[in-house]
Amino acid sequence: MSNDLAGVWEVALSDGVHRIEFEHGTTTGKRVIYVDGKEVLRRDWMFKLVGKETFSVGSSDTKATINIDAVSGFAYEYTLEINGKSLKKYMENRSKVTSTWLLNLDGIDCRVVLEKDTMDVWCNGQNIETAGEFVDDGTETHFTLGDHNCCVKAVSSGKRRDGIIHTLLVDGTEIAECTE
């Protein structure tokens, strides 16, 4: 990487947290985008220094766009959009549609993500095979991580505003949800 690094963002998706780096050579017109250290886009000798670059992030090919805007003179502002929303708006919305738990199983750090709309479960970037069942107070989504029996329980909070509460149990022990 060169000394033209203009922006770095961390984006939490279901398949993991991705690091996006953007190089902008304002004298050469160069634009380079790296996702998790891997170059995904390079443009050399761009005469128009402002504009946008669109690329994909993660295993689900989530659409990302870096906007390049002139602020004053030769100063530029760089903003990242994910699926057409500002990174801040995307992360706020994401916290409503996913639940995330961080835990250590058998010495391995695990990041478990539940996509509430599809009930898909991800662990460290892998979509996990699950079995769902209806129970008296809601639903249970069962899966295994290594030798551990896991279950995401979905029960009504009883309050319309709070909606459904999702809880992760690993070998019967509740794991605290984290905020990303």
Side-chain angles (χ1 to χ4, degrees):
M1 289 206 213
S2 70
N3 58 356
D4 292 330
L5 193 63
V8 178
W9 299 271
E10 301 269 325
V11 180
L13 301 177
S14 294
D15 67 345
V17 179
H18 299 279
R19 181 180 173 92
I20 297 171
E21 297 170 278
F22 179 59
E23 291 180 5
H24 189 211
T26 54
T27 53
T28 63
K30 176 184 76 169
R31 297 178 188 177
V32 185
I33 297 172
Y34 298 91
V35 176
D36 299 327
K38 182 177 164 228
E39 184 178 305
V40 296
L41 185 139
R42 174 179 289 270
R43 297 196 198 292
D44 291 310
W45 301 107
M46 299 278 297
F47 293 106
K48 189 174 179 201
L49 294 177
V50 295
K52 55 177 64 177
E53 294 294 347
T54 300
F55 55 100
S56 296
V57 179
S59 62
S60 57
D61 287 333
T62 302
K63 183 179 153 199
T65 302
I66 295 175
N67 295 303
I68 308 153
D69 298 301
V71 185
S72 64
F74 288 101
Y76 298 90
E77 180 180 81
Y78 308 95
T79 54
L80 178 67
E81 292 179 357
I82 304 292
N83 282 341
K85 296 183 178 85
S86 72
L87 181 59
K88 183 175 189 279
K89 277 268 186 250
Y90 175 79
M91 295 312 285
E92 286 169 1
N93 184 57
R94 184 163 171 73
S95 68
K96 294 174 189 160
V97 298
T98 62
S99 291
T100 303
W101 298 271
L102 300 175
L103 57 146
N104 189 297
L105 288 177
D106 304 325
I108 299 168
D109 288 330
C110 296
R111 179 177 178 270
V112 177
V113 177
L114 169 71
E115 293 181 352
K116 296 176 188 176
D117 55 347
T118 60
M119 294 303 285
D120 281 347
V121 175
W122 294 75
C123 180
N124 294 348
Q126 299 296 312
N127 194 328
I128 304 294
E129 192 172 318
T130 61
E133 68 175 317
F134 290 100
V135 293
D136 289 342
D137 55 351
T139 64
E140 292 182 354
T141 303
H142 298 273
F143 58 99
T144 56
L145 294 176
D147 296 330
H148 301 275
N149 291 319
C150 305
C151 172
V152 174
K153 289 178 73 83
V155 290
S156 173
S157 63
K159 300 180 185 100
R160 186 172 170 188
R161 185 159 169 73
D162 295 340
I164 296 171
I165 296 172
H166 295 86
T167 308
L168 175 64
L169 301 170
V170 176
D171 295 329
T173 304
E174 185 175 328
I175 307 297
E177 187 175 344
C178 77
T179 53
E180 293 186 302

